[in-house]
């Protein structure tokens, strides 16, 4: 299944991804954490002075040797905790590879997805890396729901391409193939995501008396639990996440993907406006990881090569 670009809703403010079959792989030495706590990070490659791109970082970060990363660590396979409690996934693997180039440790700190940019503005985090879609609203600090400016915005270093999928209980798709098929039905999803935006936009097109009912949760795992228990007709999330749930939940017996992906867009690492030196250092590190082949190995490891980029861009979201 390949992503296809379609209309982007006004409130496009979430994660989305396009990928092939998801394969669970080994874990990095990167620890997870409880909500809003920090207990570990990726391994760097020694001192900043020994790393090829260390001099591109702001001096304050070089002195600390740490980049604090805000992330919602409950979004397998992008970032999640494995059975031993380690934080693993696509983003942690990329962060570890970037750390080798920059000579610093990326420390992942868990937070609710819709509060990550706020944490970035308050300087709780240096960056946000959490399957976050690069959108013009976020770049400009616009609240996608109200259209009002709520902050100075952020810059994005884009590193992946993504799309949204619908999934149902296995063997019970109820004829659902597109978003319009959800009229009169109930869907579960994560709060603050493009999936939620699509549900809001699509229900306005439904026939009278047949709106899409949707229930939003703090994380995708809660939505999956609700669907598994029979509390909804379908769920929606970024394709890698939906595919991972289909592959792993109940040993592959709980869910099935339906229809095609929509809303293809870039994932980006968010950096506060004005912090251009850090932004450019991250881009240089990702460029190096793409050039030396580590990027491809990570994409292949997690089965997400279909979402890989050939060029790292800044603020490529529409």
């Amino acid at each position: 299944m390949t992503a296809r670009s379609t209309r982007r809703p006004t409130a496009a403010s979430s994660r989305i991804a396009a990928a092939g079959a998801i394969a669970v792989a080994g874990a990095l030495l990167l620890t997870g954490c409880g909500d809003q706590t920090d207990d570990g990070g990726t391994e760097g490659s020694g001192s900043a002075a020994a790393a090829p791109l260390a001099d591109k970082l702001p001096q304050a970060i070089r002195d600390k040797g740490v980049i604090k990363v805000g992330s919602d660590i409950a979004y397998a396979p992008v970032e999640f905790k494995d059975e031993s409690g380690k934080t693993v996934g696509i983003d942690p693997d990329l962060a570890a590879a970037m750390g080798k180039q920059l000579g610093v440790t990326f420390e992942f700190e868990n937070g609710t997805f819709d509060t990550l940019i706020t944490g970035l503005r308050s300087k709780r985090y240096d960056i946000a890396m959490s399957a976050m879609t690069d959108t013009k609203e976020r770049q400009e600090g616009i609240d996608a729901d109200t259209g009002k400016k709520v902050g100075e915005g952020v810059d994005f270093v884009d590193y992946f391409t993504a799309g949204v999928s619908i999934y149902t209980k296995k063997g019970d798709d109820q004829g659902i193939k597109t978003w319009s098929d959800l009229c009169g039905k109930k869907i579960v999803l994560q709060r603050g995501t493009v999936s939620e935006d699509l549900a809001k936009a699509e229900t306005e097109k439904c026939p009278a008396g047949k709106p899409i009912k949707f229930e939003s949760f703090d994380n995708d795992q809660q939505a999956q639990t609700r669907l598994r228990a029979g509390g909804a007709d379908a769920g929606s999330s970024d394709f890698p996440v939906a595919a991972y749930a289909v592959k792993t939940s109940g040993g592959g017996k709980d869910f099935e993907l339906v229809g095609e992906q929509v809303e293809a867009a870039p994932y980006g690492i968010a950096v506060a406006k004005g912090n251009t030196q850090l932004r450019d250092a991250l881009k240089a590190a990702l460029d190096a990881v793409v050039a030396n082949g580590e990027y491809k190995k990570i994409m292949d490891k997690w089965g997400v090569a279909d979402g890989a980029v050939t060029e790292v861009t800044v603020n490529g979201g529409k």
Side-chain angles (χ1 to χ4, degrees), residues 4-312:
R4 58 184 177 87
S5 296
T6 62
R7 166 195 55 79
R8 287 193 58 76
T10 301
S13 59
S14 85
R15 326 157 171 238
I16 41 188
I22 301 299
V24 183
L28 289 177
L29 295 179
L30 175 75
T31 56
C33 48
D35 189 40
Q36 299 294 333
T37 61
D38 171 34
D39 64 354
T42 67
E43 288 191 332
S45 58
S47 68
L53 300 176
D55 60 352
K56 291 186 175 295
L57 285 169
Q59 188 62 49
I61 288 180
R62 292 186 67 184
D63 291 343
K64 290 188 301 181
V66 170
I67 292 177
K68 291 188 176 181
V69 184
S71 188
D72 180 1
I73 308 173
Y75 214 61
V78 187
E79 54 265 315
F80 66 106
K81 295 180 185 179
D82 68 9
E83 293 179 355
S84 69
K86 303 288 186 181
T87 298
V88 298
I90 300 164
D91 283 354
D93 278 10
L94 285 173
M98 294 165 64
K100 295 175 186 176
Q101 297 294 323
L102 297 169
V104 294
T105 298
F106 284 68
E107 289 185 353
F108 278 66
E109 189 170 327
N110 198 22
T112 304
F113 181 74
D114 58 6
T115 66
L116 296 181
I117 288 183
T118 301
L120 193 60
R121 286 200 297 260
S122 68
K123 299 185 178 180
R124 179 180 180 86
Y125 317 123
D126 296 310
I127 65 174
M129 190 173 186
S130 191
M132 184 176 288
T133 303
D134 174 1
T135 68
K136 286 296 184 185
E137 289 89 354
R138 282 184 174 144
Q139 293 173 25
E140 297 170 2
I142 302 296
D143 184 299
D145 288 326
T146 66
K148 295 181 179 179
K149 192 169 180 64
V150 294
E152 63 180 358
V154 297
D155 285 332
F156 286 97
V157 181
D158 299 335
Y159 63 96
F160 194 72
T161 302
V164 175
S165 288
I166 300 170
Y167 58 97
T168 66
K169 294 186 73 173
K170 193 162 188 176
D172 188 23
D173 66 14
Q174 302 182 61
I176 298 171
K177 299 297 181 186
T178 68
W179 280 86
S180 61
D181 294 331
L182 290 166
C183 292
K185 294 182 171 62
K186 182 177 179 180
I187 190 168
V188 288
L189 34 79
Q190 183 176 3
R191 187 176 295 108
T193 62
V194 166
S195 293
E196 185 179 55
D197 298 336
L198 284 169
K200 291 176 180 178
E202 193 64 42
T203 194
E204 295 179 1
K205 304 175 185 177
C206 291
K210 295 186 66 178
I212 297 174
K213 299 177 182 178
F214 61 93
E215 187 174 2
S216 303
F217 295 87
D218 286 340
N219 61 61
D220 202 70
Q221 293 171 349
Q222 294 170 345
Q224 291 172 21
T225 298
R226 184 70 161 169
L227 178 60
R228 193 181 298 112
D233 300 301
S236 176
S237 61
D238 294 5
F239 177 74
V241 178
Y244 185 86
V246 167
K247 182 179 180 68
T248 62
S249 182
K253 297 178 180 179
D254 288 344
F255 304 128
E256 64 178 278
L257 290 170
V258 296
E260 296 184 353
Q261 300 172 58
V262 298
E263 299 298 326
Y267 280 176
I269 302 171
V271 185
K273 287 284 189 188
N275 200 350
T276 54
Q277 187 176 359
L278 176 57
R279 179 199 69 195
D280 293 346
L282 294 172
K283 182 182 184 302
L286 274 171
D287 283 337
V289 170
V290 170
N292 69 18
E294 285 189 82
Y295 178 86
K296 183 179 185 302
K297 290 179 182 177
I298 293 167
M299 297 297 108
D300 290 343
K301 168 184 175 179
W302 292 102
V304 296
D306 285 354
V309 300
T310 57
E311 181 181 4
V312 179

